[in-house]
Amino acid sequence: MIDGKAVIVISSHVARGAVGNRTIVFALESCGHPVWAVPTIVLPWHPGHGPATRIVPPAEEFAAFMCDLERAPWLGQVGAVISGYLGEASQADAVASLVTAVRKASPRAIYLCDPVMGDAEGQYVAETTAIAVRDRLMPIADVATPNRFELSWMTGRKLDSIAAVRAAASAAKPPAMLVTSTPGEAAGNIGNLLISSGSALLAEHPLVENPPKGTGDLVAALYVSRLLKGDGAEEALRYATSGVFQAVERACARGADELTLAADIDCMTRPTALVTMRRLEAEMAAGT
């Protein structure tokens, strides 16, 4: 157990809203984790709300900033690194270098790569950035949290069933894959599929129509939080899925266009939404 360790979070920052670092940092700090937050890009709001100014740190300055963190005297306090949205392709090398330094200082540290590059509405990062995440960061991750679109893009496979998602995730490079927006086994359900050590666990719940953005960020934060607190993968999956489902339901009930995390801290610290946990049979990997 690495309870009490800090988490380095590397993702986008928005002035208004609950996506990227705004979601991950808030969730982790609400769960009691110190956070080192690194912005890869600064935006007024989520791009889904309309065009806006994008401030991306110059590549050399971003790399120098990350090198400073590598030399930090407190690096041994870090128990996990989470990377999400990248502002441009060269940032992947700086992230990988920092992960290496963290692992040297804290050998039990976890690296979670959330390969943020698109969703059901399409790809929203440059092709070069998506390729850098796929080829540079995914292979060194302990766990990755792609959504179904992202896994499909990275593997070149059509993922229209649980069996297809499982097969694609099993063939990917990280030893553990938590695939979000996976079809549920029950009609009208959606779920998160965790592939790890040859096993497949599905946590599913009823689909909520038109959910706000930021759910993938919240899954990553809550999953890492529970691992750092000593939970096994199954309990961490249940906890993260329950918390996100509950937060989405509440935001939608309020008619909010963003997750309403400040009003829903209990969704992150003590989620109570019911999710169905299923251990999938081995033959499903072959699509039978």
Side-chain angles (χ1 to χ4, degrees):
M1 185 169 74
I2 320 177
D3 194 13
K5 290 284 189 175
V7 182
I8 299 178
V9 180
I10 309 160
S11 193
S12 58
H13 175 83
V14 292
R16 182 259 184 196
V19 296
N21 271 7
R22 286 291 300 273
T23 290
I24 303 171
V25 173
F26 187 88
L28 287 171
E29 291 184 339
S30 296
C31 293
H33 303 280
V35 179
W36 304 12
V38 180
T40 55
I41 184 173
V42 178
L43 301 157
W45 48 72
H46 186 278
H49 293 311
T53 300
R54 296 166 51 91
I55 301 174
V56 179
E60 290 186 4
E61 293 182 11
F62 184 83
F65 183 98
M66 296 289 270
C67 283
D68 286 344
L69 295 185
E70 291 180 27
R71 297 192 298 268
W74 316 281
L75 205 61
Q77 299 172 8
V78 175
V81 177
I82 298 175
S83 69
Y85 187 100
L86 298 188
E88 54 106 12
S90 72
Q91 292 178 347
D93 284 334
V95 173
S97 181
L98 179 60
V99 169
T100 298
V102 169
R103 284 173 168 162
K104 184 177 180 180
S106 184
R108 296 174 62 203
I110 301 162
Y111 170 43
L112 182 147
C113 175
D114 184 3
V116 180
M117 56 184 69
D119 55 27
E121 298 173 10
Q123 190 167 317
Y124 46 65
V125 301
E127 190 85 354
T128 54
T129 302
I131 291 171
V133 171
R134 181 193 66 193
D135 296 350
R136 187 72 178 95
L137 298 181
M138 289 288 286
I140 67 171
D142 297 299
V143 57
T145 56
N147 61 36
R148 190 160 33 136
F149 170 88
E150 290 157 348
L151 181 61
S152 176
W153 184 90
M154 289 187 291
T155 61
R157 303 188 187 196
K158 184 178 180 181
L159 306 181
D160 54 3
S161 67
I162 304 174
V165 173
R166 178 175 180 179
S170 297
K173 292 180 180 178
M177 293 279 285
L178 198 174
V179 187
T180 62
S181 67
T182 297
E185 285 200 313
N189 275 11
I190 193 169
N192 296 322
L193 177 64
L194 177 65
I195 305 295
S196 178
S197 302
S199 67
L201 289 167
L202 179 67
E204 66 177 89
H205 56 77
L207 175 68
V208 179
E209 296 291 343
N210 301 313
K213 303 294 185 181
T215 55
D217 302 309
L218 189 54
V219 165
L222 297 183
Y223 186 74
V224 163
S225 174
R226 298 316 300 179
L227 293 181
L228 292 180
K229 291 179 183 296
D231 284 355
E234 182 171 355
E235 177 57 21
L237 174 66
R238 185 205 63 77
Y239 187 101
T241 304
S242 174
V244 174
F245 177 37
Q246 190 170 349
V248 167
E249 279 198 312
R250 289 187 182 179
C252 289
R254 296 186 180 103
D257 62 355
E258 299 276 354
L259 291 170
T260 50
L261 299 182
D264 297 322
I265 292 178
D266 61 315
C267 295
M268 293 165 277
T269 59
R270 299 181 303 278
T272 57
L274 296 179
V275 297
T276 301
M277 301 294 296
R278 305 182 189 277
R279 188 173 295 275
L280 305 186
E281 297 298 327
E283 61 265 23
M284 184 170 287
T288 58

